[in-house]
Amino acid sequence: MKIGIVCYPTYGGSGVIATELGHYLAKQGHAVHFLSYEQPARLDYFNENIFYHEVNVSQYPLFRYPPYELALTSKIVDLVQSTGLDVIHVHYAIPHAAAAVMAKYILKTKGIDLPVITTLHGTDITLVGKDATYRPVVTYALNESDGITAVSNSLRSDTFEQFEVTREIEVIPNFVDFHRFSKKPREHFKKAIAPNGERIVVHVSNFRKVKRVEDVIQVFSRIRQRVPSRLLLIGDGPERMNMERVCRDLGICDWVTFLGKQEAVEEILSVSDLFLMPSQTESFGLAALEAMACEVPVVASNTGGIPEVVIDGRVGYICPVGDIEAMAEKGTYILSDPDRLSNFKAAAYQHALSYDILQVGPRYEAYYQEVIHKHLIS
Ligand code: GMT
């Protein structure tokens, strides 16, 4: 197949999933054409089946808001005419689904059929998408897509509850590439971070309000009172200064390290003992899955799609959103007994195996075939 993938190029989950899926599809022999405004972060090695097309938005003094959607639409139209894509798969509805649908109708006037598949990732529905600013366009773009997927049952339900969507939504969960993620712990690295054998607690995110990163610090400071431990924070974002202030207020700066944005999160996860994800809402929680793939148990909030991924009491625990005492208690319980910690680690890894890209990737391929087939006979 010839597949077009539209995604955000950033380290965020939707871009990561889109790029890893593209790598997988290319390995299966499909030609994969990426479209984005910048080279996606994980599009970091050569494959003869992968092509990258940068979307450039021309500037004009009149444009206070450069029209990216229009540039993307034109790029899709152009690409389809020159390569004959079989399907275009957009990740994150805003604005990608609307652009792809517009391209589809432009191509129709030229006698070309282009099936559009939209994958919903989270805030494109639960936060940004449902805002009145975008809702009519998102609703239209979803109904005019030829296929829709959501990364969890929870996100599928949210979409039906919050939008008048008339077509079926296929749930295809996120995944991990175990070639990348099951790195063996590097003992010398662990020693450098925790010289006295402390437990390593970790959090990865873009430090936005929705991640409740202050709770990460509060939970860690309580765990630390009972289990010698250190906190590693990976990522950056608008809440960082606030997090640093909370660390100062709690007097725990010596045990908290801000590592900034990291390419190889798997290297840090592989030496970690506990992952904290106290998010306000999370349609899936890819970072938690990646942690489990590195044998790291998770304490997370009971929200959105998290309970589908983090099996309570087996691979970690889920607690009510904002309940820092409960999270600290569960974290302490996991970390305070070496045998118990080993059991949680093993269970986390076993559970993550069911999200191997080698299992989930074929579901996308089958879905493409199904949508293309339905489109041909309609
Ligand atoms: O929706 C976002 O905040 C951005 C998005 C992303 O691009 O990082 O994250 C969402 O998609 C991820 C990949 O499917 C999911 O793992 C995240 O749970 C989801 N984030 C939220 O729902 C807040």
Side-chain angles (χ1 to χ4, degrees):
M1 270 183 281
K2 286 184 190 165
I3 302 152
I5 292 185
V6 179
C7 65
Y8 282 103
T10 52
Y11 289 97
S14 66
V16 166
I17 286 298
T19 315
E20 297 287 2
L21 177 61
H23 281 306
Y24 164 82
L25 294 166
K27 281 187 202 143
Q28 308 312 306
H30 304 292
V32 183
H33 294 261
F34 280 95
L35 296 102
S36 194
Y37 57 78
E38 226 169 60
Q39 174 130 350
R42 285 208 191 166
L43 205 59
D44 51 2
Y45 59 86
F46 174 76
N47 181 302
E48 62 199 9
N49 289 334
I50 291 185
F51 308 89
Y52 166 59
H53 308 265
E54 194 151 300
V55 181
N56 296 301
V57 188
S58 53
Q59 299 292 334
Y60 188 66
L62 198 62
F63 297 158
R64 180 155 169 207
Y65 306 105
Y68 177 68
E69 298 80 340
L70 301 188
L72 175 60
T73 304
S74 297
K75 196 81 185 178
I76 298 172
V77 170
D78 198 49
L79 182 63
V80 172
Q81 286 179 294
S82 48
T83 60
L85 294 184
D86 295 301
V87 62
I88 189 118
H89 183 184
V90 304
H91 290 259
Y92 205 90
I94 304 170
H96 301 152
V101 164
M102 200 178 352
K104 168 171 119 163
Y105 288 121
I106 294 173
L107 287 160
K108 213 171 212 162
T109 65
K110 299 173 188 299
I112 300 171
D113 271 333
L114 177 70
V116 173
I117 294 177
T118 299
T119 288
L120 305 172
H121 280 273
T123 51
D124 44 354
I125 291 298
T126 57
L127 213 68
V128 196
K130 72 176 184 190
D131 189 282
T133 326
Y134 303 112
R135 182 195 286 270
V137 181
V138 172
T139 309
Y140 177 78
L142 293 184
N143 284 325
E144 291 302 314
S145 294
D146 300 279
I148 311 173
T149 77
V151 298
S152 64
N153 291 306
S154 148
L155 184 57
R156 178 181 176 276
S157 309
D158 285 344
T159 310
F160 282 129
E161 265 165 39
Q162 290 163 19
F163 293 84
E164 282 175 33
V165 172
T166 51
R167 61 170 61 249
E168 195 33 71
I169 300 176
E170 178 91 359
V171 174
I172 304 183
N174 287 334
F175 49 78
V176 266
D177 177 355
F178 275 84
H179 281 303
R180 180 171 196 139
F181 269 86
S182 52
K183 286 259 170 9
K184 290 288 153 263
R186 297 205 199 161
E187 286 313 319
H188 65 281
F189 182 37
K190 188 160 191 155
K191 247 201 147 45
I193 299 169
N196 303 312
E198 301 96 319
R199 296 293 180 214
I200 299 178
V201 181
V202 67
H203 170 79
V204 184
S205 79
N206 45 23
F207 297 4
R208 279 182 291 153
K209 272 247 177 286
V210 69
K211 304 291 176 184
R212 294 187 67 98
V213 274
E214 189 176 326
D215 288 6
V216 173
I217 316 275
Q218 294 287 0
V219 170
F220 170 71
S221 90
R222 285 159 175 76
I223 291 176
R224 205 199 129 71
Q225 284 166 13
R226 289 170 272 177
V227 183
S229 43
R230 290 182 175 269
L231 175 63
L232 300 182
L233 293 162
I234 304 172
D236 213 327
E239 286 299 297
R240 174 151 176 185
M241 276 171 75
N242 187 35
M243 293 161 83
E244 287 169 338
R245 183 190 53 76
V246 177
C247 288
R248 287 196 300 275
D249 291 352
L250 293 169
I252 56 169
C253 294
D254 287 349
W255 296 284
V256 180
T257 309
F258 286 83
L259 293 168
K261 289 180 186 165
Q262 295 284 326
E263 296 260 337
V265 275
E266 63 276 14
E267 307 223 323
I268 299 156
L269 289 173
S270 69
V271 299
S272 302
D273 300 299
L274 179 70
F275 188 89
L276 296 178
M277 179 177 265
S279 305
Q280 182 69 37
T281 164
E282 202 71 65
S283 69
F284 183 89
L286 180 62
L289 175 59
E290 292 184 339
M292 290 191 284
C294 293
E295 300 184 33
V296 184
V298 176
V299 169
S301 14
N302 186 1
T303 180
I306 291 180
E308 296 171 45
V309 184
V310 179
I311 310 299
D312 192 38
R314 186 143 70 91
V315 303
Y317 288 98
I318 47 174
C319 306
V321 174
D323 193 341
I324 49 182
E325 301 301 340
M327 290 184 195
E329 192 193 305
K330 296 299 186 190
T332 304
Y333 176 76
I334 292 172
L335 293 176
S336 55
D337 180 278
D339 290 338
R340 191 185 299 141
L341 177 59
S342 296
N343 290 340
F344 270 102
K345 280 180 175 250
Y349 179 73
Q350 274 308 316
H351 179 57
L353 285 176
S354 56
Y355 293 90
D356 189 337
I357 186 154
L358 298 177
Q359 311 233 12
V360 181
R363 292 179 59 183
Y364 273 109
E365 284 177 283
Y367 190 65
Y368 292 163
Q369 296 286 10
E370 185 188 318
V371 170
I372 293 169
H373 179 70
K374 276 193 192 147
H375 192 74
L376 279 177
I377 57 171
S378 67

